[in-house]
Amino acid sequence: GQIKDINIFNALSDALDVDFSNIDIANMTITNARNDCFDVSTGKYFVNNAVLKNCGDKGISVGEASEFNGSQIMVSDTNIGISSKDSSISNIRSFLGDNIDLCFEAYQKKQEFFGAQLFIETSNCTSDSVFADKNSIMIIEGIEQ
């Protein structure tokens, strides 16, 4: 499906949790989620513009063999900007992060999956705010981590 605009404020857990779907979102604004702002698994997802603020855990969590593509992603005031795990592939054209403990992570969480892949074209994050385990691939602005 396609969603033109989605706005979520003050979620008690994950603000938007979508599984087993193929969804394109033009504009997404999420503010104040107690857990993840945007959580997807086992599907294909595209987000053109996202503004995610004050997420309790992750701005974007991509898991369980998902394909995620994001164009303009802005995340602030959260623990982790983007997490790609368990055979997922995430491609981000532009990422702006502010007040984030860990901008990006790619890893294998569950044994029935492989590592993840995370590709970032442009970002204002530094190399000391990323993590990739030995089973995963992370490339930021053409530099493999």
Side-chain angles (χ1 to χ4, degrees):
Q2 296 181 334
I3 299 171
K4 183 177 178 184
D5 295 297
I6 187 161
N7 298 292
I8 300 172
F9 303 97
N10 304 319
L12 295 176
S13 58
D14 288 348
L16 182 58
D17 194 330
V18 184
D19 301 329
F20 305 102
S21 299
N22 184 346
I23 295 180
D24 289 358
I25 300 171
N27 300 294
M28 176 170 58
T29 300
I30 298 174
T31 305
N32 298 327
R34 284 222 177 131
N35 198 37
D36 299 338
C37 278
F38 185 53
D39 185 327
V40 298
S41 66
T42 315
K44 291 185 178 184
Y45 307 92
F46 174 77
V47 175
N48 188 46
N49 293 301
V51 177
L52 311 172
K53 297 179 183 179
N54 199 26
C55 310
D57 189 20
K58 298 172 188 78
I60 297 175
S61 179
V62 182
E64 299 180 0
S66 289
E67 181 181 325
F68 175 76
N69 292 286
S71 188
Q72 302 287 330
I73 308 296
M74 296 174 61
V75 179
S76 63
D77 305 304
T78 189
N79 294 327
I80 300 166
I82 298 177
S83 178
S84 188
K85 57 191 171 290
D86 296 333
S87 302
S88 292
I89 301 171
S90 300
N91 296 287
I92 310 299
R93 200 185 88 207
S94 176
F95 180 89
L96 291 175
D98 183 43
N99 195 28
I100 299 173
D101 296 329
L102 186 66
C103 280
F104 311 119
E105 67 178 1
Y107 66 100
Q108 178 184 354
K109 180 177 179 181
K110 299 177 181 176
Q111 67 181 7
E112 61 267 30
F113 293 99
F114 299 106
Q117 298 177 43
L118 179 57
F119 305 100
I120 310 288
E121 286 185 35
T122 61
S123 169
N124 65 334
C125 295
T126 60
S127 62
D128 63 343
S129 66
V130 302
F131 168 77
D133 72 8
K134 64 180 180 165
N135 299 320
S136 300
I137 298 169
M138 183 183 301
I139 298 175
I140 303 171
E141 299 177 32
I143 299 172
E144 190 168 339
Q145 300 291 319

PDB file of all heavy atoms in Angstrom, residues 4 9 11 19 23 28 36 51 54 74 91 93 111 114 117 133:
ATOM      1  N   LYS A   4       0.393   8.585   2.282  1.00  0.00           N
ATOM      2  CA  LYS A   4       0.911   9.915   1.953  1.00  0.00           C
ATOM      3  C   LYS A   4       1.551  10.572   3.161  1.00  0.00           C
ATOM      4  O   LYS A   4       2.687  11.032   3.101  1.00  0.00           O
ATOM      5  CB  LYS A   4      -0.202  10.796   1.394  1.00  0.00           C
ATOM      6  CG  LYS A   4       0.286  12.159   0.956  1.00  0.00           C
ATOM      7  CD  LYS A   4      -0.830  12.990   0.343  1.00  0.00           C
ATOM      8  CE  LYS A   4      -0.303  14.361  -0.045  1.00  0.00           C
ATOM      9  NZ  LYS A   4      -1.361  15.229  -0.543  1.00  0.00           N
ATOM     10  N   PHE A   9       2.157  10.762  17.722  1.00  0.00           N
ATOM     11  CA  PHE A   9       2.705  11.465  18.876  1.00  0.00           C
ATOM     12  C   PHE A   9       2.380  10.697  20.153  1.00  0.00           C
ATOM     13  O   PHE A   9       1.264  10.198  20.310  1.00  0.00           O
ATOM     14  CB  PHE A   9       2.116  12.881  18.974  1.00  0.00           C
ATOM     15  CG  PHE A   9       2.340  13.696  17.737  1.00  0.00           C
ATOM     16  CD1 PHE A   9       1.345  13.791  16.772  1.00  0.00           C
ATOM     17  CD2 PHE A   9       3.537  14.349  17.521  1.00  0.00           C
ATOM     18  CE1 PHE A   9       1.543  14.521  15.609  1.00  0.00           C
ATOM     19  CE2 PHE A   9       3.747  15.080  16.364  1.00  0.00           C
ATOM     20  CZ  PHE A   9       2.750  15.176  15.414  1.00  0.00           C
ATOM     21  N   ALA A  11       3.403   7.715  21.728  1.00  0.00           N
ATOM     22  CA  ALA A  11       3.075   6.287  21.712  1.00  0.00           C
ATOM     23  C   ALA A  11       3.597   5.617  22.980  1.00  0.00           C
ATOM     24  O   ALA A  11       4.697   5.906  23.444  1.00  0.00           O
ATOM     25  CB  ALA A  11       3.688   5.620  20.485  1.00  0.00           C
ATOM     26  N   ASP A  19       4.611  -5.380   9.968  1.00  0.00           N
ATOM     27  CA  ASP A  19       5.227  -6.650   9.598  1.00  0.00           C
ATOM     28  C   ASP A  19       4.526  -7.242   8.387  1.00  0.00           C
ATOM     29  O   ASP A  19       3.346  -6.983   8.153  1.00  0.00           O
ATOM     30  CB  ASP A  19       5.131  -7.647  10.763  1.00  0.00           C
ATOM     31  CG  ASP A  19       5.812  -7.133  12.024  1.00  0.00           C
ATOM     32  OD1 ASP A  19       6.784  -6.387  11.919  1.00  0.00           O
ATOM     33  OD2 ASP A  19       5.350  -7.488  13.124  1.00  0.00           O
ATOM     34  N   ILE A  23       5.037  -1.539   1.782  1.00  0.00           N
ATOM     35  CA  ILE A  23       4.453  -0.217   2.028  1.00  0.00           C
ATOM     36  C   ILE A  23       5.409   0.893   1.613  1.00  0.00           C
ATOM     37  O   ILE A  23       6.602   0.836   1.912  1.00  0.00           O
ATOM     38  CB  ILE A  23       4.069  -0.053   3.507  1.00  0.00           C
ATOM     39  CG1 ILE A  23       2.960  -1.033   3.860  1.00  0.00           C
ATOM     40  CG2 ILE A  23       3.640   1.376   3.815  1.00  0.00           C
ATOM     41  CD1 ILE A  23       2.490  -0.964   5.285  1.00  0.00           C
ATOM     42  N   MET A  28       6.626  10.869   7.047  1.00  0.00           N
ATOM     43  CA  MET A  28       6.351  10.275   8.351  1.00  0.00           C
ATOM     44  C   MET A  28       6.976  11.149   9.437  1.00  0.00           C
ATOM     45  O   MET A  28       8.158  11.476   9.368  1.00  0.00           O
ATOM     46  CB  MET A  28       6.941   8.861   8.409  1.00  0.00           C
ATOM     47  CG  MET A  28       6.806   8.185   9.743  1.00  0.00           C
ATOM     48  SD  MET A  28       7.249   6.417   9.701  1.00  0.00           S
ATOM     49  CE  MET A  28       8.930   6.461   9.111  1.00  0.00           C
ATOM     50  N   ASP A  36      10.533   1.800  19.980  1.00  0.00           N
ATOM     51  CA  ASP A  36      10.976   2.188  18.643  1.00  0.00           C
ATOM     52  C   ASP A  36       9.974   3.146  18.008  1.00  0.00           C
ATOM     53  O   ASP A  36       8.766   2.992  18.179  1.00  0.00           O
ATOM     54  CB  ASP A  36      11.106   0.961  17.737  1.00  0.00           C
ATOM     55  CG  ASP A  36      12.126  -0.042  18.251  1.00  0.00           C
ATOM     56  OD1 ASP A  36      13.013   0.352  19.033  1.00  0.00           O
ATOM     57  OD2 ASP A  36      12.032  -1.221  17.868  1.00  0.00           O
ATOM     58  N   VAL A  51      10.868  12.177   9.955  1.00  0.00           N
ATOM     59  CA  VAL A  51      11.371  12.960  11.079  1.00  0.00           C
ATOM     60  C   VAL A  51      10.957  12.202  12.334  1.00  0.00           C
ATOM     61  O   VAL A  51       9.767  12.084  12.634  1.00  0.00           O
ATOM     62  CB  VAL A  51      10.806  14.396  11.093  1.00  0.00           C
ATOM     63  CG1 VAL A  51      11.300  15.154  12.316  1.00  0.00           C
ATOM     64  CG2 VAL A  51      11.179  15.117   9.806  1.00  0.00           C
ATOM     65  N   ASN A  54      12.755  11.697  19.783  1.00  0.00           N
ATOM     66  CA  ASN A  54      12.523  11.189  21.131  1.00  0.00           C
ATOM     67  C   ASN A  54      11.946   9.769  21.112  1.00  0.00           C
ATOM     68  O   ASN A  54      10.897   9.503  21.690  1.00  0.00           O
ATOM     69  CB  ASN A  54      11.628  12.136  21.935  1.00  0.00           C
ATOM     70  CG  ASN A  54      11.747  11.881  23.421  1.00  0.00           C
ATOM     71  OD1 ASN A  54      12.758  11.392  23.902  1.00  0.00           O
ATOM     72  ND2 ASN A  54      10.695  12.208  24.153  1.00  0.00           N
ATOM     73  N   MET A  74      15.643  11.800   9.243  1.00  0.00           N
ATOM     74  CA  MET A  74      16.156  12.635  10.337  1.00  0.00           C
ATOM     75  C   MET A  74      15.733  11.995  11.662  1.00  0.00           C
ATOM     76  O   MET A  74      14.544  11.753  11.879  1.00  0.00           O
ATOM     77  CB  MET A  74      15.610  14.046  10.240  1.00  0.00           C
ATOM     78  CG  MET A  74      16.043  14.797   8.991  1.00  0.00           C
ATOM     79  SD  MET A  74      15.232  16.408   8.803  1.00  0.00           S
ATOM     80  CE  MET A  74      15.793  17.220  10.290  1.00  0.00           C
ATOM     81  N   ASN A  91      18.916   0.511   2.876  1.00  0.00           N
ATOM     82  CA  ASN A  91      19.589   1.500   2.040  1.00  0.00           C
ATOM     83  C   ASN A  91      19.050   2.873   2.399  1.00  0.00           C
ATOM     84  O   ASN A  91      17.848   3.116   2.288  1.00  0.00           O
ATOM     85  CB  ASN A  91      19.312   1.238   0.558  1.00  0.00           C
ATOM     86  CG  ASN A  91      19.885  -0.071   0.103  1.00  0.00           C
ATOM     87  OD1 ASN A  91      21.082  -0.203  -0.046  1.00  0.00           O
ATOM     88  ND2 ASN A  91      19.023  -1.065  -0.100  1.00  0.00           N
ATOM     89  N   ARG A  93      19.555   7.010   1.671  1.00  0.00           N
ATOM     90  CA  ARG A  93      20.200   8.022   0.844  1.00  0.00           C
ATOM     91  C   ARG A  93      20.816   9.123   1.687  1.00  0.00           C
ATOM     92  O   ARG A  93      21.965   9.486   1.506  1.00  0.00           O
ATOM     93  CB  ARG A  93      19.213   8.604  -0.166  1.00  0.00           C
ATOM     94  CG  ARG A  93      19.960   9.285  -1.332  1.00  0.00           C
ATOM     95  CD  ARG A  93      19.047   9.962  -2.277  1.00  0.00           C
ATOM     96  NE  ARG A  93      18.900  11.305  -1.719  1.00  0.00           N
ATOM     97  CZ  ARG A  93      17.882  12.095  -1.880  1.00  0.00           C
ATOM     98  NH1 ARG A  93      16.870  11.733  -2.592  1.00  0.00           N
ATOM     99  NH2 ARG A  93      17.834  13.273  -1.332  1.00  0.00           N
ATOM    100  N   GLN A 111      19.465 -16.800  15.522  1.00  0.00           N
ATOM    101  CA  GLN A 111      20.292 -17.804  14.854  1.00  0.00           C
ATOM    102  C   GLN A 111      19.703 -18.310  13.539  1.00  0.00           C
ATOM    103  O   GLN A 111      20.437 -18.805  12.684  1.00  0.00           O
ATOM    104  CB  GLN A 111      20.568 -18.979  15.788  1.00  0.00           C
ATOM    105  CG  GLN A 111      19.355 -19.815  16.137  1.00  0.00           C
ATOM    106  CD  GLN A 111      19.711 -20.952  17.079  1.00  0.00           C
ATOM    107  OE1 GLN A 111      20.829 -21.034  17.570  1.00  0.00           O
ATOM    108  NE2 GLN A 111      18.753 -21.827  17.314  1.00  0.00           N
ATOM    109  N   PHE A 114      20.804 -14.636   8.995  1.00  0.00           N
ATOM    110  CA  PHE A 114      22.202 -14.260   8.804  1.00  0.00           C
ATOM    111  C   PHE A 114      22.379 -12.831   9.319  1.00  0.00           C
ATOM    112  O   PHE A 114      21.453 -12.236   9.860  1.00  0.00           O
ATOM    113  CB  PHE A 114      22.577 -14.352   7.317  1.00  0.00           C
ATOM    114  CG  PHE A 114      22.429 -15.738   6.762  1.00  0.00           C
ATOM    115  CD1 PHE A 114      21.377 -16.053   5.924  1.00  0.00           C
ATOM    116  CD2 PHE A 114      23.337 -16.737   7.090  1.00  0.00           C
ATOM    117  CE1 PHE A 114      21.225 -17.337   5.417  1.00  0.00           C
ATOM    118  CE2 PHE A 114      23.194 -18.026   6.590  1.00  0.00           C
ATOM    119  CZ  PHE A 114      22.135 -18.323   5.753  1.00  0.00           C
ATOM    120  N   GLN A 117      22.688  -6.092   6.231  1.00  0.00           N
ATOM    121  CA  GLN A 117      23.428  -5.169   5.375  1.00  0.00           C
ATOM    122  C   GLN A 117      22.833  -3.781   5.558  1.00  0.00           C
ATOM    123  O   GLN A 117      21.612  -3.630   5.557  1.00  0.00           O
ATOM    124  CB  GLN A 117      23.321  -5.583   3.911  1.00  0.00           C
ATOM    125  CG  GLN A 117      23.918  -6.952   3.637  1.00  0.00           C
ATOM    126  CD  GLN A 117      23.728  -7.371   2.198  1.00  0.00           C
ATOM    127  OE1 GLN A 117      23.912  -6.574   1.280  1.00  0.00           O
ATOM    128  NE2 GLN A 117      23.346  -8.623   2.001  1.00  0.00           N
ATOM    129  N   ASP A 133      28.494  -6.319  13.363  1.00  0.00           N
ATOM    130  CA  ASP A 133      29.131  -7.556  13.810  1.00  0.00           C
ATOM    131  C   ASP A 133      29.823  -8.233  12.630  1.00  0.00           C
ATOM    132  O   ASP A 133      29.734  -7.792  11.482  1.00  0.00           O
ATOM    133  CB  ASP A 133      28.135  -8.470  14.528  1.00  0.00           C
ATOM    134  CG  ASP A 133      27.111  -9.130  13.616  1.00  0.00           C
ATOM    135  OD1 ASP A 133      27.216  -9.032  12.369  1.00  0.00           O
ATOM    136  OD2 ASP A 133      26.182  -9.756  14.154  1.00  0.00           O
TER     137      ASP A 133
END
